[in-house]
Structures are given as structure tokens and as C-alpha cells.
Amino acid sequence: MIHSQYHWNVTTPDQQAAQQLSIELGIAPLTAALLSGRGYTTVPEAEAFLEGSRTASHDPFLLAGMQEAVERIRLALERSEKIWIYGDYDADGVSSTSLMIQLLRHLHADFDMYIPHRSKEGYGLHNHALDQANAQGVTLIITVDTGISAVEQIAHANALGIDVVVTDHHEPPAELPQAVALVNPKLPYCNYPFKGLAGVGVAYKLAQALLGMENVPEAWLEIVSIGTVADLMPLEDENRMMVRIGVEHMKNSSFPGVRALMNIAAIDPTQMTATSIAFAMAPRINASGRMEHASRAVELLTTENMSLADRISFELDQLNKSRQELVNRMVQEAIAMLESEKDQYPHGVPDVIVVAGEGWNPGVVGIVASKLLDRYYRPTIVLGIDPETGMSKGSARSIAGYDIYRALLDCEDVLDHFGGHPSAAGMSLHRDQLDAFRRKLNDRAATLLTEEDLIPQTQADYEGRIDQLTLAAVEELDRLAPFGMSNPLPKIVLRGATISQAKAIGKTLDHLRLVVEQNGSMIEGVAFGKGELAELLSEGDVIDILAETSINEWRGNRKPQLMVQDLAVPGLQIWDRRGSGQWDRNLQHIRSKWSRYMAVESGQLGVLCDEKRAETLKSQLSDVSLWGYDRQVDIAACNHVSIQHGAEAIRTLCLLSLPAHIQQLDHIFATFTSLENIVLLHDRPNQQERLQIPDRDIFKLIYGWLSKSSQHMSDESKLVPYLSQKTSSSVRMVQMMLDVFEELEFIIRHNGTIQMNQAPAKRPLHSSQLYRELGELAEMEYMLCESDLPQLTSWMISRMQGVS
């Protein structure tokens, strides 16, 4: 059994509604089921979602503070005041700044921009920057994607005679800054109907308010799309409309920077999607602010020079590669820190992970936090410590249902600064406060987080079949795009698929290629980053799959394929390591490498061998549950681990010795009732010891040779090898057939000699108990030593079911 990495919460669509949608809208049942599962159960709702509307944009003046913001900016334009755009260094901040530059260019304003350096200055407004603005004669600052928490800084600006218009989308604090205007849909008194705008979305609403909704260039939605997708904003309501239009414009982009980014990321413009933004464009834009300064990315998105755009996009691509290497190193260092402390916690890690390292680049701590969260499924905070000042700057990422921003509110007495969302946040504090910070977070989490909260969860949209995933049906799913937060790529569960092929692919064999079949229908799949599973999957394994769908296009041929996100082998699984001669190395490999896929914790991993061998292995295997066959049928606990935890705790059992007879095999299943995996580590018998499944012909042959030979070769020690040679049977097989003849009284054994019974009673072979046992033992040994894995697995499961 391979355990899935996540618990799959599968949506059950309204079947009646799905059927109605399929008929009336002329869409595939799969598309209709997905729409129904996402709450679009009526034809008008589903049609509006599929077709979208450019009129879905809300009146920008519904945003509280918008009227005051527009009036102040228009006054600045009339007076030819010097304006500063004050932005942020992430992809949303870069997009917001770039959009505001487009707007102020359009309005022929006198403006400049300022984005703080991520590692040298950190997030938000800074007094030294405001002093610099004052020195330049700036009288109006427009913030984008920042400012809602800048109470002291905006007070400083006011004292300098600088007015501030805040446009932001982050959670507002209890105390708000005294700005000329605060434009943020999340303000408690704001009645704007959609709260999910990105920072760039709020900036776009300001553009609509200043220019009129019909007069904003639609191409600007390309920039809105980048920030909205990159900042993980929900792709619903007007975000869906803006990103859909923006992505469509990107296919023939009017921005040199967008075209250059698509080129360096090898994005086919005709195949441009929101997913392309998320996984190809946004990381390169973010690399600018993470590794150097975000102004270079702003320059890319605002330049009108294609040659310059190409140069900058190449720089950002190189920075992104450096960022990837840096992240991998920091992740390994953080894992080493956590592993060194795992004995301190019941689950190996604390409820809230807080790791900090000297010299860690604050620009990538958020990515490191995300990777640690994926590995441990705990709210995670990663901080970089400046070794000179002792200041720590970090990022948090949280699990579903745990509001990390609220958690930081409860720790504000040890924090210098913080801000963010329920799922992600940033903070700074002195290293002297790290222990208190870690303690406060975990004390709070201990009262709120339950065991269920810490089980990794993922949402699946539909449980279907391979035959539903036709090329036409998968192509039609594009009508649900753009995909992102609140409208993710559909995840489909396929249960009971049989593996036809499983192999590791890629230069470093990091990825897994699958071919699976179900009721005559076949489909290929790719699982990125799961190449190690190729060792654990075999042809014939029946698996459950959680996957997204895509189209594989190669040399003009198009076919559907699965992008596998998670998988499980739900039933008993047999792991074939027969005859390797390295049982100890295999056992260590199972414990160290496969623990995330199979149960090998204390008491769950068992080793079973013959009783004599178990006695010699006690000291070597003192930390696993050791069991031995006794002389009869029973299986006995052989060390303190097996005695302490018992047989019912065993979920992964390693066989080091073959059972002596079929009853011992059946007793394994009767004893170890929680078995999920059986690992075969036993040696194969040599040719001289192998049994063959008996039939009447082989017994006739042996009987005939006995009749011919008994007058001259009654010495059993000579007769057995002679019969073995003549019948091509093993010595062991001949000896056991002679046992059958003796039970049936066909021969008489006496003091090492064999004589034929001259007047035997007529008795059929199957009346012999030993004959039946020989057949069962020969079948068992053939299955355990010679059969292929699918055949062996099927046989073992049938034996297990027979016992239960």
C-alpha cells in the first residue's frame, strides 16, 4: 500500500443539475459535472460563468475613499505637482507600479516612482524614503499594493507637507493611517461588492475612476492579470473577467516586456494561460525583487523598447535560476535544523514551524516557507537574520483553516512590523525575540489546532473514469479558464486504474511517467517530482490517482494526458526484493526513503524469519518488530519491540525466510491483521531444492523407476539422487514423493532402505494428506519464488481473503 500524500476531499456534483446543463448547454457531461460541483447549477449561472462579460466590472466609485483619491490626483494634475508612485517589490507590487506608470503617463503627469529594496529596507513605507521625496519636491504620493498599515510613516509624510493616497488590498489594522484617501476593498466600512482585488486590481479601479470605465485601454489588463494571478487572488467575480481578457490580449501583446517574458519562458503565445503567468512569468518578475531590485522588473513591464525588454528578461531569467539554487540550499539547511530537533516534538515537528538562519536571503524566505509547508504541512515561518544588526525578516505561509495574520496579531508585542493575509504574511523582529515569538505561536496553536487540522488536505472536483477523458472533453475544460485561486484547474480522481507502465524520466530521473488502463481505456500521465515512486510501482498494480488534465501535443498529434498530483495503492502491496542478497540494505532503504509512502514507524515495521535466524538477528534488529516462525504453525514475538507493540501494529512486514508450509503463510495473515505491505527479502531456493507442483504423471514416472530399481538399489541414500536424475526432479521433491508413497503404503521404508509393497491396496493419490500438502507447498514456493509480481500479488490477496 502506498499512502496518498493528501486526504482527497472529493466534491459530489448535483447529478440532476449536471445532466440538465449538459443537455441545454451542449457541453460534455464532465464539464457539466464540474460546473455543478462548483456551484453553477442553473443554466443562466453556468452560461454566465462560461461566457463571461465585460460588463462584470463594478463601479470604481463604490470603493470607499475613491472620490477623495480622484479629487486629490486631479488637483495635482491641475497644479503640475510632483507625484511619487510608492510600490512594493513582489509581482503584484511590480504590476501595480507599472499600471500606475501607464496611467500617469496617459495623464501627462510629472511623476517618479519608489520601490523599497526587499532585503535592505523591507516592506512598506519608510521615513527615509519620504524625506527623499520631500527633497525632490514631491507633494503627493500614491501608494500601490502597500500603505494600509503605515500609520507612523503617513503621519511623517503629513508633517512634511506630503499628501498620501493609499491604494492597497492587504488586511487593514485596527488603527488606520491619516491619509488623504484610503482605497482598499477590505476596509470595514467599504461597501464595495468584491473584496478579492489584488493590489493591481485596486490600481486599475483608480484608473477607471480617473479616465472613465470605457476609456481605460483594455491592454492594461495584461498587467492586471500578472499581479492578480501572481498574488494568488481569487479568480472569480471581476477578477475572472479581467484576467480572461488580459490573457487573451497577451497572445498578441502590445507590451514589449510581456512579449520578452513569454519568449524567455518559452511560452507559445497561442497557448498562453493564467497558469503560464503563475509558473513561468511571475517567478521571473519576482526574482528581480528577491535577488536584486524590483525596479528592473518595472522597467521591463513599462519599456517601449523591444531590445531593452529582451535584455532585461534575460537578466531576470538568470536571476530566477540563481534564486532556484539559493532556495534549494536554504530548504536543505532548514530541514537539517528541523530534523536535529525532531525528538522534542510528538509529531517530529512543532505545530508552527519557525526557522531562522544567518545570512538567509529575505527575498526568498517565502518560497522556502512554502516548500517546508508542503513537506511538513504545518504553518511555517522562515526568517533571514542580518548578522550585523540582528534584525530578522521573514515570511509566513499557512495551512487551510489557520489564519496566520491573526496569529501574528497575538504576537505583535515581539514584532517590529508585520502585515499580510490569512494564508501568507511578512514580519520583522530582532533575533533576541525569536524564542519568545516561536513560543507564543506554538502556545496559541496548541489551543486552536486539532489533529484533523494537521492532516494534509486537497480538494478534488470529481470522481470519474478514464473513458470520460476524451480529447474533446479535455479540450472543452478550457472553457472553465482562467484557472487560479477559487477557480483551480479541475482535479479528477480515478480509482481502480491498473498500471501498464511506470518509469522515472528526466535527466535526473526526478519525474514519473505512468500509463494506466481501466476497463479497456488507456491514458498516459506525468507526475513531476515523483520519479522516486517508479521503484515502488509495478505493472499490474491497481492504483487511485488524483490528477489534472492536459493536452499532450507532439508533432501535430494531440491526445489527453494526466498531470498526476497524488496517487495511492489502496490494497495490499507486495514489494519484490527476492534474491537480492542484501536484505539489510533493503531494510534500511525502506526505513529511510519510503517512510513518507508506507508505514514504518516504531512497531509498524516487522521482520519475519525462521526461529533460529530470528535468534541471531535480535541484536542487529533491536529497533524493529522481530518475529519468528516456530516449529509448528505459530508465529512468536522475538524482541521487546514486537512484545510491546504486538502483531496488530504491523503494517509493513518483511519476509526474510520462506514459510515452511502453507499453514504458516495463512497464519501470517491471521496474525498480522493490519498488513498493508509485504516486502519479500528472502532468497530463492537453489535448483536442487525446488519443488514442482505434483501431478499423476510425475508420480507414475517415479513409481515406474522405483519398480525397476528396487531390486538393485534399495539404499535410499543412493536411490533418491538416482531418481532425481532420471526424472529431472529435485532431491527434495523426490524425498517428498517417497513420503506420499509411504503414506499410501506403496513402499516400505526400513533402516534406510526402500522396498516395494508387492500387494498394495488401491488408493488414489488425492487421498494422501501428504500429497495435498506437497501440492500446496509447491504452489506456495512457486508463487513466492518464481511467479511474476502481478500473479503473486493476486494470489497473496486471495489467500489473505480466504483467511479473513
Side-chain angles (χ1 to χ4, degrees), residues 20 169 175 177 212 264 368 602 616 631 667 711 746 788:
Q20 191 73 12
H169 74 127
E175 182 184 0
I264 200 70
V368 176
S602 180
T616 66
R631 293 179 181 84
H667 202 62
Q711 298 174 359
F746 292 171
D788 60 28

Side-chain angles (χ1 to χ4, degrees), residues 162-351:
I162 301 174
D163 287 340
V164 181
V165 169
V166 172
T167 72
D168 200 354
H169 74 127
H170 293 95
E171 296 290 337
E175 182 184 0
L176 296 172
Q178 297 300 307
V180 169
L182 297 177
V183 184
N184 183 337
K186 292 179 181 173
L187 287 165
Y189 54 82
C190 180
N191 294 320
Y192 195 72
F194 180 55
K195 305 296 183 181
L197 291 171
V200 70
V202 179
Y204 182 75
K205 301 310 292 185
L206 178 59
Q208 285 185 327
L210 281 163
L211 301 181
M213 294 179 67
E214 302 301 320
N215 299 323
V216 178
E218 200 169 73
W220 290 4
L221 289 173
E222 294 183 44
I223 298 175
V224 175
S225 299
I226 293 172
T228 301
V229 172
D231 215 39
L232 304 180
M233 291 297 103
L235 295 190
E236 56 191 19
D237 204 283
E238 62 184 328
N239 278 354
R240 176 175 171 80
M241 178 276 296
M242 291 190 292
V243 172
R244 172 179 272 182
I245 297 171
V247 168
E248 197 61 35
H249 270 274
M250 284 182 179
K251 296 177 180 180
N252 295 283
S253 179
S254 58
F255 294 102
V258 171
R259 297 200 301 273
L261 266 180
M262 293 170 66
N263 182 57
I264 200 70
I267 300 170
D268 180 353
T270 64
Q271 302 298 315
M272 183 65 197
T273 65
T275 305
S276 307
I277 295 174
F279 293 101
M281 297 176 75
R284 289 171 169 84
I285 293 172
N286 272 322
S288 177
R290 294 185 191 281
M291 304 299 288
E292 288 188 359
H293 197 283
S295 59
R296 198 62 169 154
V298 173
E299 187 177 5
L300 173 67
L301 293 182
T302 55
T303 184
E304 297 175 356
N305 185 314
M306 192 65 218
S307 178
L308 176 60
D310 284 335
R311 288 200 303 275
I312 298 174
S313 66
F314 177 78
E315 290 174 19
L316 299 192
D317 186 60
Q318 295 303 304
L319 286 175
N320 191 50
K321 290 175 181 176
S322 298
R323 187 270 307 167
Q324 290 170 329
E325 294 173 0
L326 177 61
V327 165
N328 290 338
R329 177 176 61 79
M330 288 171 57
V331 167
Q332 293 308 312
E333 290 176 6
I335 290 173
M337 290 180 186
L338 292 168
E339 291 297 314
S340 69
E341 300 174 349
K342 65 181 181 181
D343 293 339
Q344 301 178 24
Y345 306 103
H347 299 289
V349 288
D351 290 341

